[in-house]
Amino acid sequence: MPYFEEITTTTAKGDRRVAGVVSEKPGYLMNGDLDGNFVTALALQGRVPVKVVGKIEKGDTLVTSHIEGVAIVSDDPKAGTIIGKAIEA
């Protein structure tokens, strides 16, 4: 049986396949009783710290960057690429 990863990282700027952001301190954890080697909390909404490359201002729209696990500001994001809005600089 082939192995399929449910969560992977991306190195594509503005990746449309993005689903959420890995959360280190989730306020609510769905399926918290899951067992496995790589169970990961994925934030689909809410306030989550995000690593960002480049200058950022409050209100900027964030998308995936070319750096794995890091966001970047986008002035013209395409539908399905937005991972969040900056709430501080």
Side-chain angles (χ1 to χ4, degrees):
M1 178 173 239
Y3 172 74
F4 296 101
E5 295 178 276
E6 292 195 22
I7 297 177
T8 59
T9 57
T10 184
T11 56
K13 183 178 178 188
D15 197 339
R16 290 178 190 258
R17 298 171 296 171
V18 68
V21 175
V22 172
S23 176
E24 294 180 357
K25 297 180 183 178
Y28 174 73
L29 185 59
M30 292 178 63
N31 300 318
D33 58 346
L34 288 177
D35 288 325
N37 295 329
F38 304 104
V39 176
T40 304
L42 185 68
L44 303 177
Q45 68 180 29
R47 291 181 173 203
V48 181
V50 176
K51 295 176 186 174
V52 180
V53 64
K55 186 178 178 188
I56 183 170
E57 297 294 330
K58 184 177 181 177
D60 283 345
T61 304
L62 304 175
V63 299
T64 59
S65 75
H66 63 287
I67 302 170
E68 183 176 300
V70 180
I72 193 167
V73 172
S74 177
D75 293 329
D76 186 28
K78 306 299 181 226
T81 64
I82 298 171
I83 60 172
K85 283 263 205 185
I87 58 172
E88 63 185 14

